[in-house]
Amino acid sequence: MRPAQATEPDPADAATAPLWRAVQAFRLVTLAYAVGQQIASVQYYENQRLSWVFIALMVIWSGISALLLAQWHTPDTVRTRALVTLGDHLVVLGLIAATPLVADYAWYHGHQPLPTTMWSANAVISAAILRGPLAGVASGLLIAATIITMRQQWGEDVWADATAPVLVSVGLALGLAANTARRAQEQLQRAVRLTAAAEERERLARQVHDGVLQILAYIKRRGDEIGGPATELAHRAGEQEIALRRLVSEQGGDRADPGDTTVDLRPLLTAHSAPRVVVSTPGEPVRIGRWTAQEITAATAAALTNVELHAGPEARAYVLLEDTGTELIVSIRDDGVGIPPGRLTEAENEGRMGVSRSITGRLTALGGVAELLTAGTVGEGTEWEFRVPRS
């Protein structure tokens, strides 16, 4: 037999479980209140024996519902809670409608019917926790309307009765609390998954670095030293080393949570690593807005394309990402031939907008700046510095 797979608990069940336990305590308190009201009012009933039968039904249902809600490990917890909620409404509405069977009109027109308002609130609370504030408010209005109809108080007296405001307020408040608890539980589980993925990624990265990456780096270094036919082997090993480093850095990045509005900029820049392109990023995630990250990455790609086209066949490029807390700094430096004086202005006058639009235009749109630190120098390479404010 295959071992049973552990499944992640339903966020709704885990989040609202404390509320359902609190409901049981509230049910016990309101049941005691209802029994006390029965003892105080039974002398005014015309059919006292039948009234005790109804109170007994209330006690029996309270016990059954408590036992059902106590089964936290049932195969379908949501279905069990839905059945309890439905039973609450049937019992409450049935007892309210049965009030004329035990008391005359003069009494129940001016007093609360069976059951009392507090025990009736159990049905409203169950609906609110199960389905949210709309269900809670609807349940409160239904029970309040039934009470008002049975007491025939659809005149001016309805505004002096606190039954409807109490039930509706309880349904609204508990429904909002249940929804908030569910959202908090979902966010907690998402954070746990992201943390676990990050820890696993770091563990795999260490293992890969201690084994495969070191071997590939050794083959590349020795192949370059030997020369001749081994140069091709060194080149291939260097390509695979870069590809493997890129794969390790990308694992568990922003893919871990596609619905998030921010992404980690590091794997987006690391994806541009190549045998002649070295990318260095911080050890901690650099999370920024998706659009900002895409624009920075695009500007970096444009700068690296210029290196490939104009810096010379042997030029190497170095990309450095820094996060100061208030701004992001991306430096792209190469050891190529450099840019002659006035070349950028000349290219722009000729209609070549690669730098002005793909680089400086993007950074300006982000509220940042793209500065060419080596403008007008020849033979010393080229260095761009992108600065983007964190805000």
Side-chain angles (χ1 to χ4, degrees):
M1 294 178 61
R2 292 183 300 178
Q5 296 182 351
T7 58
E8 190 176 61
D10 186 355
D13 291 343
T16 58
L19 295 177
W20 286 108
R21 288 193 289 269
V23 165
Q24 294 188 64
F26 182 79
R27 189 183 300 270
L28 178 61
V29 172
T30 54
L31 178 63
Y33 176 78
V35 173
Q37 285 293 311
Q38 165 68 11
I39 296 173
S41 303
V42 67
Q43 57 183 321
Y44 303 107
Y45 295 157
E46 292 183 342
N47 195 335
Q48 298 182 8
R49 182 174 300 178
L50 184 59
S51 69
W52 282 111
V53 172
F54 290 149
I55 293 298
L57 290 177
M58 184 190 303
V59 174
I60 292 173
W61 170 247
S62 296
I64 293 174
S65 60
L67 290 176
L68 291 174
L69 293 177
Q71 304 300 316
W72 303 110
H73 303 291
T74 57
D76 194 348
T77 304
V78 176
R79 183 171 180 271
T80 301
R81 293 170 178 171
L83 290 175
V84 171
T85 302
L86 177 60
D88 279 342
H89 284 78
L90 293 177
V91 172
V92 168
L93 296 177
L95 290 176
I96 293 173
T99 302
L101 299 178
V102 300
D104 57 15
Y105 174 79
W107 185 87
Y108 64 74
H109 181 71
H111 298 79
Q112 287 293 334
L114 289 174
T116 56
T117 304
M118 289 187 65
W119 197 86
S120 302
N122 285 285
V124 179
I125 293 174
S126 297
I129 297 176
L130 183 67
R131 296 299 181 188
L134 291 180
V137 171
S139 174
L141 291 175
L142 173 62
I143 294 175
T146 304
I147 293 175
I148 294 172
T149 300
M150 191 278 304
R151 295 174 62 186
Q152 301 180 19
Q153 289 186 338
W154 284 104
E156 296 181 357
D157 291 342
V158 68
W159 305 109
D161 191 355
T163 300
V166 168
L167 294 179
V168 171
S169 299
V170 167
L172 178 62
L174 268 295
L176 292 174
N179 282 356
T180 301
R182 291 188 185 97
R183 286 194 295 269
Q185 182 68 23
E186 290 173 357
Q187 293 174 359
L188 175 61
Q189 291 190 354
R190 185 183 299 117
V192 170
R193 289 195 298 268
L194 292 176
T195 302
E199 292 176 351
E200 180 66 12
R201 184 173 69 253
E202 294 298 328
R203 185 184 67 84
L204 291 175
R206 289 193 297 269
Q207 292 183 351
V208 171
H209 181 271
D210 294 341
V212 180
L213 288 177
Q214 290 187 353
I215 295 299
L216 290 175
Y218 174 76
I219 294 175
K220 179 180 181 302
R221 185 174 65 254
R222 287 294 296 158
D224 290 335
E225 293 174 355
I226 295 173
T231 303
E232 178 66 18
L233 177 63
H235 178 71
R236 298 299 182 188
E239 290 181 344
Q240 293 304 311
E241 179 188 3
I242 295 297
L244 187 56
R245 290 185 185 277
R246 180 188 308 169
L247 177 64
V248 171
S249 66
E250 290 178 349
Q251 292 304 309
D254 70 298
R255 298 178 185 177
D257 186 13
D260 201 347
T261 58
T262 62
V263 297
D264 187 357
L265 181 60
R266 299 178 304 166
L268 299 180
L269 295 181
T270 307
H272 293 289
S273 298
R276 295 188 178 277
V277 179
V278 179
V279 180
S280 300
T281 60
E284 297 296 327
V286 180
R287 303 197 67 84
I288 57 176
R290 286 183 180 274
W291 181 71
T292 302
Q294 291 170 358
E295 292 297 284
I296 293 177
T297 303
T300 302
L304 293 175
T305 299
N306 287 336
V307 173
E308 182 179 357
L309 295 177
H310 307 298
E314 301 298 325
R316 297 176 63 88
Y318 305 88
V319 180
L320 174 64
L321 171 63
E322 300 176 83
D323 185 2
T324 65
T326 58
E327 66 176 354
L328 299 178
I329 304 175
V330 180
S331 302
I332 301 100
R333 179 175 59 85
D334 67 71
D335 55 4
V337 298
I339 300 178
R343 181 68 187 107
L344 294 180
T345 303
E346 180 182 345
E348 187 171 350
N349 293 334
E350 293 174 354
R352 300 178 182 179
M353 301 297 182
V355 171
S356 63
R357 291 184 179 176
S358 298
I359 298 179
T360 58
R362 279 193 166 94
L363 271 297
T364 301
L366 296 176
V369 61
E371 184 178 1
L372 182 59
L373 301 181
T374 55
T377 60
V378 179
E380 298 182 4
T382 303
E383 182 174 1
W384 281 97
E385 186 175 84
F386 304 157
R387 293 180 174 271
V388 179
R390 264 292 193 176
S391 58

